[in-house]
Amino acid sequence: MSPHTTNGVSINEDAENTYFQTNPSPKALTKHQALALEFIQYHLENAPDRRIVLVTSGGTTVPLENQTVRFIDNFSAGTRGATSAEYFLQEGYAVIFLHRQFSLLPYSRHYSHSTNCFLDFMEESEDGERVVVRKEYQEKMRRVLQQYQYAKNNRLLLLLPFTTVIEYMFELRSLATLMQPIGSRALFYLAAAVSDFFIPRDRMEEHKIQSREGRGGSGRQLVINLDPVPKFLSNLVHSWAPKGSMIVSFKLETDPSLLVSKAEQALDRYQHDLVIGNMLMTRKWEVVFISRDGGERWIRVPKTRRSKSFSGIEALVGKAERKPDSEPVDLEGG
Ligand code: PMT
């Protein structure tokens, strides 16, 4: 079957069928589907007006062996996704947080991967009978704890982990399909850094590749032959996701001359709602919004506030400083 076209956009059903039939579905998929279904039904029944966002976060891996010892990784600590999830929760959304296992999580991110060991936030009480939070951290920790407990007690946050790019794709397709009943109150916020290349299951080594044997190169060189990961964003937009839902993708580049054109290309190709572009070196302080109304809008955190991490969602909810459209990047000028 050749690609079929919806609203002038091609959806490659062949690629989708081949990918999902020839690669193994993740072991945790059935359990994740049950948890997601329960979460969605709970909110549909108890808060029918509530918006539900799927935030994807962290980088996918590409294993080189089925019993994996080595893998290729994609850059992402999960800061964007975890921080954005907190802002979505603050704005009243319920959040499905599809994240790379052990990457940053909403709320715990303030302590888990910090330069301090988490034990540095604590000390023994004066009488030596208890362990307490050090005085200088108490105010912030109380605030974070209250927000975390609110989200937890109200079942507003569902954490679902992935590791490999294959797991990510299965989870994304299944969650988008389960979100169908949410309709236009569904939002997709795709901040994960998804590998563009992978090794299909039928070409993957079962056991640890031995350094003495060599693979495809001369002598003991290891030559890796990767296939492209099919671009499923159009399938997500035009087939998996509920009609009328909002879809936001991210574009990461390292060459500033490519960022805007690549983000525009993605919007044009997939026909979704918004591409948020960011540069590797400046992603914490500035992003560019490329939307269908033809606008290119840069959002920058002023230099004086750059110690705080910036998710980009502040801009979606109107809390970041807005600078005039198309203003050139000027980190030094602040
Ligand atoms: O986590 P941090 O350290 O804070 O870093 C955040 C970030 C820089 C990783 C994040 O802000 C970001 O830019 N994420 C997207 C990285 C990127 O450019 O991905 P991409 O070009 O491979 O994909 C673009 C979009 O399509 C993404 O939304 C991705 O989730 C999606 N995609 C990609 C490939 C694919 N086969 N299918 C997809 O759906």
Side-chain angles (χ1 to χ4, degrees), residues 305-325:
R305 286 182 43 217
R306 284 182 188 172
S307 60
K308 277 188 69 188
S309 44
F310 173 54
S311 71
I313 194 66
E314 294 93 327
L316 275 183
V317 299
K319 288 186 178 157
E321 178 178 283
R322 289 189 183 163
K323 294 232 171 152
D325 288 352

Side-chain angles (χ1 to χ4, degrees), residues 56 58 75-81 168-169 172 190-196 229-233 248-252 278 283:
T56 72
F75 165 84
S76 171
T79 319
R80 175 86 66 211
Y168 172 83
M169 289 302 177
L172 182 66
L190 307 170
V194 182
S195 171
D196 285 329
V229 175
K231 291 284 182 197
F232 284 130
L233 209 51
V248 179
S249 74
F250 278 78
K251 180 55 58 199
L252 174 68
N278 49 182
R283 69 193 186 284

Side-chain angles (χ1 to χ4, degrees), residues 6-7 180 182-186 237-246:
T6 309
N7 301 333
Q180 290 275 346
I182 306 165
S184 59
R185 276 172 297 101
V237 175
H238 300 285
S239 162
W240 307 343
K243 295 265 166 305
S245 55
M246 183 178 182

Side-chain angles (χ1 to χ4, degrees), residues 198-233:
F198 81 123
I199 303 177
R201 179 65 187 93
D202 59 1
R203 287 216 321 268
M204 199 187 293
E205 296 286 337
E206 175 61 26
H207 294 287
K208 182 184 162 198
I209 298 168
Q210 295 300 315
S211 58
R212 297 209 161 270
E213 287 165 16
R215 280 287 186 284
S218 60
R220 289 166 56 193
Q221 279 180 341
L222 174 64
V223 177
I224 303 169
N225 183 4
L226 300 168
D227 274 13
V229 175
K231 291 284 182 197
F232 284 130
L233 209 51

Side-chain angles (χ1 to χ4, degrees), residues 25 30 59 61 66 81 113 146 152 167 194 203 216 245 255 260 265 275 300 329:
S25 80
T30 312
T61 68
N66 191 36
H113 296 44
Q146 283 169 351
K152 200 172 165 184
E167 287 171 1
V194 182
R203 287 216 321 268
S245 55
D255 178 349
V260 170
Q265 248 173 44
V275 178
R300 296 191 172 92
V329 176

